[in-house]
Amino acid sequence: MLGGCRRALPAALGRALRGRAAGQGGRAVSTSWCPVGTAFDVKQQQQQPLRGGAAGRDTGLFGVPELSCPEGFQEAQDKALQESEQLVQKACSTPPGPETVMIFDQLSDSLCRVADLADFVKVAHPDFAFREAAEEACRNIGTVVEKLNTDVELCQSLRRLLTDETVLSSLDPETRRVAELFMFDFEISGIHLDEEKRKKAVELNVRILDLCNEFLIGTHIPNKIDKHVLPEHIRYNFTAEGNYLRIAGLHADCPDDLVREAAYKIFLHSNTQQLARLEELLASRNSLAQLVGYDTFAHRALQGTMAKNPETVRQFLEKLSEQLSKRTQKDFEMMTKMKMKLNPHNSMLMPWDHPYYSGVLRAERYNIDPGLYCPFFSLGACMEGLNSLFSQLLGISLYAEQTKRGEIWSEDVRKLAVVHETEGLLGYIYCDFFQRPDKPHQDCHFTVRGGRLKENGEYQLPVVVLMLSLPNSARGAPTLLSPGMMENLFHEMGHAMHSMLGRTRYQHVTGTRCATDFAEVPSILMEYFANDYRVVNQFARHYKTGQPLPKNMVSRLCESKKVCAAADMQLQVFYAVLDQIYHGKHPLKKSTTEILKETQEKVYGLPYVPNTAWQLRFSHLVGYGAKYYSYLMSRAVASMVWKQCFAQNPFDRAMGERYRREMLAYGGGKEPMLMVQGMLQKSPSVEDFVDALVSDLDHDFETFIMDS
């Protein structure tokens, strides 16, 4: 993970007015479905193509009729805003009771159905006109949401419910929690302020949305440099544009030290405009937090999470850093020795060396060549492996379903129906797996439509998109995944299962709409399954010979990941600490770059490189502001769940059902720590989190014996 910038779980616009619902599925297996592996295997796909999408009128993106053309976003937006106006009036005139919460959830759903869909389209659609229309819809819906969050009359209708003890005591736990979450959204938006300050809060929120978009775009813009500045023998590594070279990344895997150094210094060179955006974003977030009554933005952001407050996060990161210290130092010493061995004239370990030399050490110690593994991980086989795992663990099957014309945005997108053995159809996953021009190179899960129990008693099925960046297959051969790609696929499918199985009554708390430090638990847990030989052995077959992947190759791969893993984790601690400082007390004592330098040398241990500003490429400051620690805390919980519940038998159906019942079913409809407690039968402490992460770094004794 470079800069922690993969596996993002994008925050949906309209998050402040969101919801979830519960109910039953109930649809027999359709004759238009085909086995999931077939849909992703190129050879079989050519022999047995998916049907549909050939003729007739366009149905519109995701089956939304208005979205057969970019202009349809305006129509969908107007329809949602008109519906929301009616629901606001209804909420304000309805006597306090369960119906009040249902109306609020309908309001959330009417806005999120457009905003969430647009949130995906604006980054992933190949047509610029669609992306532009979606961006405008996101902004417009987001502005309306911020205004609704400071609507006094709307808030009063909810307050009447929450202050009526008789009515409140009659609500079931989920309805009560959702009502409290809606009130929390009002409070953090400044509903208690006078009219002038409420207006200021709305303006700040809208400005923050704009700054987030601008900063995010800036994190990906390449830097250019006169090609004559670089030695001639390394210029070919970069894209030439006339007399300039275009540097679009860190080239972290390049074996030439000079190429990595040049890429690091040029790509991360400070940019005045991006620096100003970041400073204004951090200052605006702090102003908003203080305006609505919080000491810092971090205090506001961490309400309702597992950590609950910045003090707990700081304690967690400090204890983890302390435990990692000696291990990290040993890792750096090993990398330094390797650098001296390969480059005696320049042996000082620098930040651009860490990803490369840790990889060299892994390959040397365990003879790991990704090319040896790829033939065993065809995409079709991996999808069948997931299908088999979900079937045994949760009683769920994945089927490829034909799409209608205009329903998908690229011909290589596949639509999967998620079907439970007794409950029927649970929802849909659109798989946008392959690289294409202008598509972001990141792996993400997007909620397009949340599940909820509709007014007529039917269940609104959830719809999500999984976006990966897999290479297109060679002609006549299936798409082959590296071990890292396979693990990423399992990770993102963990998010998807959370969305499918969070069968909540209210859309506001559907699936992954939960605390950020809990949302990553199901996806990281899937990584443990992806690294277990008993699971891998069920699907990893050589695509030509059918030979199974040897057990010792899986063992070596898993153990290789522990080489320099302490230093890798310490890097994540550094990012998380930096995030906390940026969103802590303001005004900041120093510039963001000076804070970066100080924190890097204190927490990470490798020297700061003058004139660089890595924080300007830290895209997670947008979606994970003050919550970047979530990856580490979620991994700690996932580790505990794996070791206690699945390590003995990864196909244990009873544990699978318990996992669904205790952790997946609620979405965000239950306190996150209570869900963890239900699964583990205890409430873990900060020390438990740290111990779980550190114990994962220990080598497996059996593998060491085997290797010797």
Side-chain angles (χ1 to χ4, degrees):
M1 184 193 298
L2 182 61
C5 295
R6 72 171 187 168
R7 298 173 176 168
L9 183 68
L13 272 172
R15 183 57 49 85
L17 280 172
R18 61 191 181 220
R20 259 319 174 251
Q24 290 75 40
R27 173 176 165 183
V29 175
S30 168
T31 55
S32 67
W33 293 342
C34 74
V36 67
T38 302
F40 292 93
D41 189 309
V42 171
K43 287 196 235 178
Q44 292 183 22
Q45 181 188 315
Q46 290 170 344
Q47 297 164 7
Q48 184 185 354
L50 289 176
R51 299 179 296 280
R57 292 181 57 189
D58 282 4
T59 186
L61 288 173
F62 299 102
V64 178
E66 296 91 341
L67 300 184
S68 57
C69 62
E71 294 74 21
F73 268 107
Q74 183 68 49
E75 186 181 345
Q77 172 193 300
D78 291 345
K79 187 176 175 182
L81 295 180
Q82 186 178 0
E83 186 180 340
S84 68
E85 286 179 15
Q86 296 169 354
L87 288 167
V88 168
Q89 293 173 9
K90 188 176 179 181
C92 293
S93 59
T94 299
E99 190 183 357
T100 305
V101 184
M102 185 69 79
I103 295 168
F104 266 79
D105 193 60
Q106 286 177 254
L107 176 58
S108 171
D109 184 60
S110 68
L111 296 169
C112 286
R113 265 184 285 133
V114 178
D116 288 349
L117 191 155
D119 204 39
F120 166 72
V121 172
K122 75 177 184 180
V123 299
H125 201 289
D127 186 335
F128 176 75
F130 263 105
R131 295 200 303 271
E132 193 174 42
E135 176 73 57
E136 182 65 17
C138 278
R139 177 178 168 77
N140 292 339
I141 296 284
T143 301
V144 170
V145 167
E146 299 307 338
K147 289 179 179 176
L148 288 175
N149 281 344
T150 53
D151 186 313
V152 175
E153 189 178 0
L154 185 62
C155 179
Q156 284 298 336
S157 68
L158 187 64
R159 197 182 300 280
R160 285 194 296 271
L161 168 71
L162 291 170
T163 54
D164 188 324
E165 288 297 331
T166 304
V167 175
L168 198 59
S169 62
S170 70
L171 302 180
D172 63 87
E174 184 183 20
T175 300
R176 180 168 179 163
R177 174 167 170 80
V178 171
E180 290 170 346
L181 286 172
F182 276 123
M183 181 54 73
F184 172 66
D185 289 335
F186 279 119
E187 290 170 351
I188 65 170
S189 297
I191 195 68
H192 53 287
L193 304 174
D194 60 41
E195 187 175 353
E196 186 180 338
K197 288 182 178 178
R198 285 200 306 276
K199 184 179 178 183
K200 175 67 174 173
V202 171
E203 290 171 354
L204 277 168
N205 266 309
V206 172
R207 181 58 184 149
I208 288 168
L209 278 175
D210 288 341
L211 286 166
C212 284
N213 284 329
E214 292 168 14
F215 181 78
L216 204 54
I217 291 169
T219 62
H220 300 297
I221 294 176
N223 279 338
K224 292 182 181 179
I225 191 169
D226 188 315
K227 66 181 181 183
H228 298 100
V229 173
L230 295 182
E232 189 173 353
H233 72 279
I234 70 168
R235 293 176 194 167
Y236 74 92
N237 289 278
F238 309 108
T239 304
E241 292 183 0
N243 288 324
Y244 292 90
L245 294 174
R246 183 168 166 266
I247 289 79
L250 293 171
H251 292 251
D253 296 328
C254 182
D256 190 321
D257 287 357
L258 190 57
V259 171
R260 294 196 314 278
E261 179 180 354
Y264 189 96
K265 290 179 175 179
I266 298 166
F267 185 65
L268 299 183
H269 193 271
S270 189
N271 177 291
T272 305
Q273 194 175 15
Q274 182 76 338
L275 193 59
R277 285 190 198 111
L278 176 59
E279 289 171 350
E280 187 183 351
L281 173 60
L282 297 177
S284 297
R285 282 175 166 174
N286 181 71
S287 295
L288 177 63
Q290 294 196 327
L291 181 64
V292 300
Y294 290 90
D295 287 345
T296 68
F297 182 79
H299 283 90
R300 179 180 184 267
L302 296 175
Q303 284 276 85
T305 61
M306 282 197 293
K308 295 190 182 299
N309 55 62
E311 291 73 29
T312 301
V313 174
R314 186 162 54 249
Q315 184 186 13
F316 167 62
L317 295 173
E318 286 175 356
K319 286 181 179 293
L320 179 57
S321 186
E322 185 181 319
Q323 288 290 316
L324 291 174
S325 179
K326 289 183 180 178
R327 292 172 184 252
T328 299
Q329 194 57 43
K330 286 183 180 178
D331 287 351
F332 284 154
E333 288 171 3
M334 287 194 301
M335 287 185 237
T336 301
K337 287 179 182 177
M338 178 57 70
K339 186 173 182 179
M340 288 176 65
K341 177 181 174 183
L342 298 178
N343 187 359
H345 304 295
N346 184 13
S347 60
M348 183 177 179
L349 196 69
M350 298 298 288
W352 56 80
D353 292 324
H354 176 167
Y356 177 72
Y357 285 109
S358 60
V360 171
L361 284 164
R362 290 183 189 108
E364 183 183 75
R365 183 169 296 182
Y366 288 99
N367 191 26
I368 301 299
D369 177 2
L372 297 174
Y373 288 82
C374 291
F376 295 90
F377 293 137
S378 74
L379 178 55
C382 292
M383 293 303 295
E384 286 293 357
L386 283 161
N387 192 37
S388 174
L389 176 63
F390 293 147
S391 176
Q392 294 175 76
L393 207 58
L394 298 162
I396 283 171
S397 296
L398 306 173
Y399 295 96
E401 179 171 303
Q402 65 186 39
T403 56
K404 297 176 182 176
R405 179 175 168 178
E407 183 180 350
I408 55 178
W409 50 100
S410 180
E411 63 181 11
D412 56 15
V413 172
R414 294 288 175 262
K415 179 183 180 182
L416 302 184
V418 180
V419 185
H420 189 269
E421 59 190 21
T422 60
E423 297 170 34
L425 182 63
L426 297 181
Y428 290 105
I429 303 169
Y430 287 83
C431 300
D432 186 357
F433 283 173
F434 300 100
Q435 295 173 359
R436 62 175 175 270
D438 294 327
K439 180 182 173 183
H441 288 276
Q442 60 187 67
D443 300 339
C444 295
H445 163 281
F446 291 84
T447 296
V448 170
R449 184 178 72 199
R452 71 183 184 101
L453 189 62
K454 296 195 287 188
E455 300 68 52
N456 61 6
E458 293 179 3
Y459 195 74
Q460 176 173 291
L461 297 176
V463 175
V464 304
V465 176
L466 294 190
M467 188 168 75
L468 304 179
S469 298
L470 303 180
N472 290 289
S473 62
R475 179 173 293 181
T479 298
L480 302 179
L481 277 58
S482 68
M485 291 173 186
M486 183 271 285
E487 186 179 287
N488 285 1
L489 173 62
F490 270 64
H491 177 104
E492 298 305 332
M493 197 60 80
H495 283 312
M497 284 300 108
H498 197 181
S499 291
M500 295 298 112
L501 292 171
R503 307 286 284 181
T504 52
R505 186 183 310 161
Y506 301 102
Q507 191 266 161
H508 191 64
V509 288
T510 186
T512 57
R513 294 204 218 277
C514 56
T516 306
D517 53 9
F518 182 80
E520 291 292 337
V521 173
S523 52
I524 293 174
L525 179 62
M526 283 298 295
E527 295 177 26
Y528 287 89
F529 285 96
N531 286 289
D532 188 280
Y533 179 71
R534 294 162 294 181
V535 175
V536 174
N537 186 51
Q538 290 208 336
F539 68 88
R541 297 286 183 274
H542 196 288
Y543 78 100
K544 286 184 178 178
T545 66
Q547 174 194 354
L549 183 64
K551 183 176 182 180
N552 72 323
M553 285 182 67
V554 177
S555 299
R556 287 174 181 274
L557 182 65
C558 293
E559 285 303 293
S560 73
K561 293 176 182 178
K562 297 178 182 180
V563 175
C564 300
D568 295 343
M569 192 176 290
Q570 189 67 53
L571 182 60
Q572 295 303 310
V573 173
F574 158 48
Y575 297 155
V577 170
L578 189 68
D579 176 43
Q580 288 297 304
I581 296 172
Y582 283 168
H583 292 99
K585 285 285 185 185
H586 274 247
L588 297 173
K589 295 179 180 178
K590 299 179 179 179
S591 72
T592 58
T593 302
E594 288 172 322
I595 291 170
L596 170 78
K597 176 181 185 298
E598 187 178 275
T599 308
Q600 178 172 325
E601 293 175 349
K602 178 183 176 184
V603 178
Y604 180 35
L606 293 185
Y608 165 77
V609 180
N611 302 314
T612 62
W614 175 84
Q615 77 276 19
L616 303 184
R617 300 288 184 180
F618 193 11
S619 60
H620 274 34
L621 286 174
V622 171
Y624 281 72
K627 293 185 282 192
Y628 190 80
Y629 76 92
S630 296
Y631 283 114
L632 289 166
M633 191 167 280
S634 290
R635 182 166 294 281
V637 173
S639 173
M640 287 187 272
V641 171
W642 169 258
K643 290 168 187 168
Q644 185 174 316
C645 305
F646 295 110
Q648 190 170 349
N649 176 11
F651 308 109
D652 188 330
R653 181 62 181 270
M655 277 298 174
E657 293 296 340
R658 178 164 140 192
Y659 174 51
R660 178 183 180 181
R661 183 178 65 250
E662 298 291 348
M663 295 190 79
L664 298 180
Y666 295 101
K670 190 174 182 179
E671 285 280 347
M673 194 56 85
L674 291 178
M675 291 189 275
V676 173
Q677 189 175 331
M679 190 69 195
L680 298 176
Q681 302 296 298
K682 73 169 188 174
S683 185
S685 64
V686 167
E687 288 76 16
D688 291 330
F689 290 146
V690 171
D691 289 345
L693 290 170
V694 174
S695 66
D696 271 356
L697 302 176
D698 294 331
H699 289 276
D700 180 73
F701 182 71
E702 289 183 12
T703 306
F704 263 148
I705 294 296
M706 179 183 68
D707 286 341
S708 63

